[in-house]
């Protein structure tokens, strides 16, 4: 299956909203993209979009997007 990846992570990948958000991302091609729902802090780049996954409020880096 997905070695080292939790079931909750896999469930989020197959969340129906992910498909729609991918369409929005492709159509709008923003330079910055911020989102949550993963309960962890992750940054990356997809094509010309720098994205940031915001963490839960009580965890470190939840405020990173403000900086």
């Amino acid at each position: 299956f997905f070695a080292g990846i939790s079931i909750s992570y896999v469930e989020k990948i197959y969340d129906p909203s992910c498909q729609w958000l991918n369409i929005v991302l492709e159509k709008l091609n923003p330079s910055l993209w911020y989102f949550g729902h993963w309960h962890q802090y992750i940054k990356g780049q997809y094509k010309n979009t720098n994205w940031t996954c915001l963490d839960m409020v009580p965890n470190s880096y939840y405020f990173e997007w403000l900086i």
Side-chain angles (χ1 to χ4, degrees), residues 48-61:
N48 295 323
T49 302
N50 291 310
W51 56 264
T52 302
C53 178
L54 304 173
D55 204 346
M56 296 181 357
V57 172
N59 295 339
S60 300
Y61 300 110

Side-chain angles (χ1 to χ4, degrees), residues 8-43:
S8 64
Y9 178 83
V10 174
E11 289 171 350
K12 290 174 185 170
I13 291 172
Y14 293 108
D15 182 321
S17 63
C18 284
Q19 181 181 16
W20 289 106
L21 290 171
N22 285 338
I23 292 169
V24 170
L25 179 62
E26 289 292 328
K27 295 283 185 186
L28 297 179
N29 193 26
S31 60
L32 298 172
W33 182 275
Y34 294 94
F35 60 94
H37 188 68
W38 296 86
H39 297 237
Q40 58 188 354
Y41 175 78
I42 310 170
K43 291 179 87 168

